[in-house]
Amino acid sequence: MEWFKIFESEGKARDRVQEHAPQLVIINGKRICLARHNGRFYAVQDSCTHQGDSLSKGKVNFLGEIICPLHHYRFQLDSGQACDSSCPSLLTYAVRSDDSGFFIAL
C-alpha cells in the first residue's frame, strides 16, 4: 500500500469536497470517488459495479450511501458494500490526514 498526497491539508480537502457532493480524483490513472459524509472522508472506486457509470457524478444520501447517477444503485461509503445483492461491492481506499497533508492509499 502506498500513500498519495491529494491536498496540502485537510482544510483544503474540506474546501474542495463538499458534504454529500462526491469528487473525482485520479491517482496513477486510477479513478477514485472521494466523498464526505457527516464530516468524514471516504474513497471508493469511481466506477459503479452495475454498468460502470462514474460515481463521482452521483450523490451521497443521508445514510452515507453513494448513489450511482445512472440507475440509482446504492453502496455504503464505509465498506463499499452494495445495498442490494444485484451487483458486486465497490473497492474502498484508506484516507488519512496529518500535518503534512491529506492522503489516499492505493
Side-chain angles (χ1 to χ4, degrees):
M1 176 168 62
E2 185 176 352
W3 290 94
F4 292 87
K5 187 174 185 176
I6 306 302
F7 299 107
E8 292 300 316
S9 67
E10 185 172 331
K12 296 272 187 201
R14 289 185 184 285
D15 290 344
R16 176 74 191 274
V17 182
Q18 299 301 310
E19 192 83 8
H20 298 155
Q23 295 290 313
L24 173 64
V25 176
I26 299 175
I27 304 172
N28 285 353
K30 186 177 293 275
R31 295 173 60 91
I32 297 172
C33 175
L34 181 60
R36 200 170 87 182
H37 173 68
N38 287 341
R40 189 165 172 219
F41 287 95
Y42 301 90
V44 298
Q45 73 183 61
D46 188 54
S47 178
C48 178
T49 57
H50 175 240
Q51 287 192 342
D53 204 31
S54 174
L55 294 173
S56 59
K57 295 178 184 173
K59 62 181 179 177
V60 175
N61 68 14
F62 70 98
L63 296 172
E65 300 164 341
I66 184 90
I67 302 169
C68 179
L70 188 59
H71 294 114
H72 307 287
Y73 279 81
R74 297 176 295 120
F75 302 88
Q76 296 173 5
L77 280 173
D78 59 352
S79 66
Q81 181 72 37
C83 293
D84 66 26
S85 60
S86 63
C87 56
S89 296
L90 301 173
L91 295 175
T92 61
Y93 303 95
V95 195
R96 75 173 168 98
S97 64
D98 59 28
D99 291 340
S100 63
F102 181 89
F103 302 85
I104 294 177
L106 297 183

